[in-house]
Amino acid sequence: MMSDYESVYAQWQAGPETFWEEQAEAIDWMKPADKIFDAEAGVYGRWFAGAECNTCANAVDRHVEAGHGDRLAIIYDSPITGTKSQITYSELLKQVNALACVLSDKGVTKGDRVVLYMPMIPQTAIAMLACARLGAIHSVVFGGFAAKELATRINDAKPKMVIAASCGLEPSRIVEYKPLLDKAIEMADTPPETCVIFQRPQAEASMVEGRDIDWADAVSAAEGRTVEPTAVAATDPLYVLYTSGTTGQPKGVIRDNGGHMVALEWTMKNFYGIDPGDVLFTASDFGWVVGHSYIVYGPLLRGATTIIFEGKPVGTPDPGVFWRIVEEYGVKAIFTAPTAFRAIRQQDPEGEFIKKYDLSSFQTLFLAGERADPETIKWAERQLNVPVIDHWWQTETGWVMCGNPAGLGLLPVKYGSPTKPMPGYDIQILTDEGEPVTEPNVLGNVVVKLPLPPGALPTLWNADQRFRDAYLEEYPGYYKTADAGKIDEDGYLFVMARTDDIINVAGHRLSTGAMEEVLAEHPDVAEAAVIGIADPMKGQVPLGFVVLSNGVDRPESELEKEIVAMVRDRIGAVAAFRQLVCVKRLPKTRSGKILRATMQKIADKEDSPVPATIDDPAILEEVSAVLERRGFLSRPLEAKE
Ligand code: COA
Ligand code: AMP
């Protein structure tokens, strides 16, 4: 007998357009699609061509109109500030309307970009929804990024407006956003006309006359006003979210309105098993795709309740904070990154904090964003006694590519595998030459047969050619995920590593290329390379290598201090760049390409054949000796209990 998963997947395979047409019935459209999939439009085709809709109307208005205005939309819980609040769908509609009026009065209209530099407070979700209401395109920049990263994004998105809070809060410090924003605007070629500033009591931002307006003043003046949701094309962008590429220039991933709503709505029910009124706790950040999809849009489209958590899994105040939240709000499912559970496990190995709380509402734990090591999954299963679901996706796809669908009935778990492809995704393994790998368990490049499903990126912001080059060129007819992996005899996918220069630090996706650009700016550095090495808590952390310029002779520790400060200043604390070693030469191929993957394998003590193309194998021994001296020959991630 077929499982529900198998029959749904087979139904999609038999007729993708019919499948998505049926799923689209869950959404309110202002105009139906002329074509469910238009293969001629866009770079590889577009979903719901000709349709018109509004994402804010679907996420907010329709629940109020259906009589659910008193249901909680947002629960805000900030152990860092000791603040809690709740917002019903009716109240959310009022607040979104008022802010949308402020934006509209300042000239923000359909297609304009609005950059958001905001922390984990409800105002961030309200600002995203206000943009969506007007058909404006929001671009949320993670608060852990420094001024230069913000400036790069402002230059690419060319926003009419920036919305920022005066500060974000880390457990150990106040991160003042406003000076960073002012610096970024100074650096940017295309400054925004207006900045809306949400003042928080922890830090008062100074305002620039004629440009900055105060959120509270403007919104209270607009209280009670409403603006109708703007009809946008299903194919119009809802947001642009920048994600790390292989260079310092991040990629602007576009999410459209129609396909995104259809896909998220499908996942909420069928994958996460969340019904209207259920409480979903996604412990991530608005600045990442997980925050966009499962703190804001997914739960609100479904009419569920979302939790906005301003805290950390440990230390705010203790490793029991997730469980306190589950008990207090009747959370049905948690979604976070494995690193959060490694942190909790480290501080509460016996689950003493778990036992303190009533977890009877809690049904499933979802993990994504980085490889979920089996030891962490098994620990969480034992301690929580609920299914722990690893699922694999990317900023680009916006929703799960491969997973174990709680809403359809779980498949047997294989540790180390995020399970099976979801409808919409025909996942295959190709050799470097682009040949299909037909044997099971053979490692290769993980690709998705085109077209990508609704919700996945149609292209990059103002960069169709970069989109083709980065994702479609190498394997014609397929989307390149840039992950390496294998599929076993039962069709389970195992994702092993990235095939490019992206590293994953505490579930944060970072570009080693961007860090190398910063290292190379140091006047004493002739050449630089950055790799990700295994870390028992964060999964990976960056490690820098530099070759000093001729004649420079300086202590390694002094240089390390300066360069660590530079990376923090240029990219941000989130890069977690703390370690640097000096080497005489970098290992390269004869054509001059730095052998980063080989260096990483040495650091992680993995067996790896020396590439035949290496210029001088002796350099690898030098690198190995330096790593040994500094104690970097790493601890494995899956340390035995
Ligand atoms: N704004 C400003 N700074 C931030 C920030 C933000 N939103 N988020 C992180 N930072 C800073 C941290 O304060 C830290 O600074 P420091 O060097 O001064 O200590 C630095 O960036 C590195 O942060 P992080 O890698 O998160 O490490 P951490 O030690 O602060 O916390 C965990 C470790 C595991 C608790 C934390 O990474 C975590 O909660 N992870 C959850 C995973 C997650 O949300 N992933 C998102 C994708 S699902
Ligand atoms: P991001 O775009 O930040 O979501 O990062 C996407 C990348 O994170 C993927 O390409 C993978 O390399 C990695 N990743 C995300 N989820 C998983 C997972 N469940 N297992 C293994 N790797 C993952």
Side-chain angles (χ1 to χ4, degrees):
M1 230 192 53
M2 267 189 169
S3 66
D4 283 354
Y5 159 77
E6 282 165 332
S7 64
V8 169
Y9 195 77
Q11 197 191 329
W12 164 73
Q13 278 177 312
E17 291 185 36
T18 315
F19 180 85
W20 291 117
E21 186 174 15
E22 278 170 21
Q23 309 317 319
E25 286 167 17
I27 298 301
D28 286 354
W29 301 93
M30 291 160 161
K31 176 176 174 289
D34 300 325
K35 276 186 178 172
I36 298 303
F37 182 69
D38 181 355
E40 303 306 315
V43 177
Y44 63 83
R46 296 303 307 261
W47 290 96
F48 306 108
E52 287 179 1
C53 56
N54 183 283
T55 296
C56 177
N58 274 279
V60 190
D61 303 52
R62 70 168 166 159
H63 305 307
V64 178
E65 283 156 17
H68 305 303
D70 291 339
R71 185 185 293 161
L72 284 184
I74 291 175
I75 294 172
Y76 168 56
D77 191 302
S78 167
I80 295 194
T81 59
T83 320
K84 295 175 187 177
S85 62
Q86 305 193 336
I87 304 176
T88 62
Y89 273 96
S90 296
E91 183 56 30
L92 181 62
L93 181 57
K94 281 190 201 139
Q95 295 196 28
V96 169
N97 257 314
L99 184 67
C101 288
V102 172
L103 268 52
S104 167
D105 290 349
K106 283 287 165 189
V108 172
T109 143
K110 182 160 138 180
D112 286 339
R113 274 80 57 210
V114 177
V115 162
L116 272 52
Y117 193 46
M118 301 278 285
M120 293 306 296
I121 54 177
Q123 285 72 21
T124 313
I126 291 167
M128 291 163 80
L129 292 163
C131 291
R133 191 167 194 84
L134 300 175
I137 303 164
H138 61 70
S139 187
V140 182
V141 178
F142 177 62
F145 280 127
K148 185 162 176 288
E149 291 289 318
L150 178 57
T152 307
R153 287 156 175 78
I154 289 176
N155 273 341
D156 198 68
K158 302 191 182 12
K160 183 166 244 173
M161 176 184 274
V162 176
I163 305 181
S166 59
C167 67
L169 299 168
E170 285 297 285
S172 58
R173 64 184 196 286
I174 296 172
V175 184
E176 291 204 35
Y177 286 169
K178 189 59 187 353
L180 297 172
L181 171 62
D182 289 342
K183 201 167 144 194
I185 292 178
E186 232 176 82
M187 286 184 218
D189 313 326
T190 48
E193 287 164 23
T194 313
C195 295
V196 177
I197 307 298
F198 182 78
Q199 298 279 12
R200 303 189 75 189
Q202 293 78 11
E204 199 188 335
S206 63
M207 305 289 269
V208 173
E209 245 201 72
R211 186 196 72 190
D212 297 350
I213 60 172
D214 181 88
W215 171 304
D217 291 347
V219 164
S220 69
E223 210 179 297
R225 285 174 58 200
T226 58
V227 51
E228 281 305 304
T230 302
V232 296
T235 49
D236 280 342
L238 168 69
Y239 68 76
V240 176
L241 178 58
Y242 288 90
T243 191
S244 302
T246 46
T247 66
Q249 181 65 32
K251 295 168 174 163
V253 168
I254 294 183
R255 192 81 55 220
D256 70 11
N257 277 275
H260 176 242
M261 285 196 279
V262 173
L264 288 193
E265 181 76 48
W266 184 86
T267 61
M268 286 305 294
K269 179 175 181 338
N270 298 283
F271 191 81
Y272 298 101
I274 298 289
D275 292 322
D278 285 345
V279 183
L280 175 66
F281 173 22
T282 300
S284 175
D285 191 286
F286 290 118
W288 309 118
V289 70
V290 174
H292 281 63
S293 294
Y294 295 108
I295 298 177
V296 184
Y297 290 112
L300 297 181
L301 286 167
R302 185 88 179 118
T305 302
T306 187
I307 293 189
I308 296 176
F309 172 63
E310 190 177 41
K312 302 273 172 179
V314 295
T316 58
D318 57 44
V321 66
F322 279 16
W323 320 125
R324 195 259 300 156
I325 286 178
V326 168
E327 177 184 289
E328 200 165 326
Y329 307 116
V331 169
K332 186 173 185 185
I334 293 180
F335 179 175
T336 192
T339 192
F341 269 78
R342 289 197 291 271
I344 293 172
R345 177 185 175 194
Q346 190 203 44
Q347 295 206 5
D348 185 22
E350 303 305 323
E352 295 304 331
F353 283 89
I354 299 174
K355 290 175 201 137
K356 286 189 189 172
Y357 297 95
D358 172 4
L359 304 188
S360 51
S361 64
F362 185 44
Q363 292 188 8
T364 327
L365 170 63
F366 294 94
L367 299 175
E370 57 173 328
R371 185 167 174 271
D373 52 294
E375 289 308 319
T376 301
I377 293 204
K378 286 180 198 167
W379 178 84
E381 281 176 342
R382 275 200 309 277
Q383 297 295 338
L384 297 167
N385 219 6
V386 297
V388 178
I389 299 194
D390 176 18
H391 59 316
W392 169 73
W393 49 294
Q394 308 179 307
T395 306
E396 287 84 346
T397 66
W399 59 282
V400 54
M401 286 189 277
C402 217
N404 200 348
L408 291 175
L410 291 173
L411 301 168
V413 170
K414 290 199 189 191
Y415 294 103
S417 164
T419 316
K420 295 204 181 185
M422 289 299 107
Y425 294 98
D426 176 353
I427 294 175
Q428 301 183 18
I429 309 290
L430 300 183
T431 64
D432 288 349
E433 290 69 42
E435 296 301 322
V437 171
T438 44
E439 289 284 295
N441 296 309
V442 176
L443 199 62
N445 299 284
V446 186
V447 297
V448 183
K449 194 162 186 308
L450 291 173
L452 291 172
L457 84 172
T459 185
L460 295 174
W461 179 251
N462 278 343
D464 285 352
Q465 196 50 44
R466 188 176 182 200
F467 174 66
R468 287 191 192 94
D469 293 346
Y471 300 101
L472 309 183
E473 193 73 5
E474 203 165 331
Y475 306 112
Y478 297 92
Y479 163 82
K480 177 175 97 170
T481 67
D483 277 316
K486 58 189 183 183
I487 296 177
D488 79 359
E489 53 289 345
D490 299 322
Y492 281 62
L493 176 74
F494 290 77
V495 179
M496 310 309 286
R498 291 283 301 193
T499 57
D500 56 10
D501 298 326
I502 302 278
I503 59 172
N504 204 314
V505 179
H508 309 316
R509 170 169 161 179
L510 299 167
S511 156
T512 54
M515 290 186 227
E516 286 173 5
E517 287 173 21
V518 178
L519 268 52
E521 273 180 42
H522 191 285
D524 295 341
V525 170
E527 225 182 344
V530 175
I531 59 168
I533 59 172
D535 179 83
M537 175 69 68
K538 297 193 177 189
Q540 283 186 307
V541 286
L543 171 64
F545 291 80
V546 291
V547 177
L548 298 182
S549 306
N550 265 344
V552 175
D553 182 18
R554 296 190 53 197
E556 193 177 57
S557 59
E558 207 178 280
L559 208 69
E560 183 177 59
K561 222 164 139 194
E562 289 169 14
I563 291 184
V564 165
M566 278 173 74
V567 175
R568 211 177 158 88
D569 177 64
R570 310 281 206 284
I571 296 179
V574 70
F577 184 91
R578 298 225 166 89
Q579 299 155 333
L580 179 95
V581 293
C582 296
V583 287
K584 291 209 178 64
R585 300 173 295 173
L586 290 170
K588 290 185 185 165
T589 61
R590 282 188 283 276
S591 60
K593 201 169 168 286
I594 299 172
L595 289 165
R596 294 181 185 79
T598 311
M599 289 157 78
Q600 183 243 311
K601 291 209 166 78
I602 294 174
D604 289 347
K605 279 188 156 170
E606 282 175 34
D607 287 336
S608 140
V610 175
T613 53
I614 192 164
D615 186 34
D616 179 358
I619 303 178
L620 289 181
E621 278 164 39
E622 287 172 27
V623 166
S624 182
V626 171
L627 292 172
E628 179 100 61
R629 169 173 59 77
R630 289 282 307 268
F632 282 135
L633 294 185
S634 76
R635 297 147 293 175
L637 187 55
E638 284 171 42
K640 289 274 168 288
E641 284 166 273

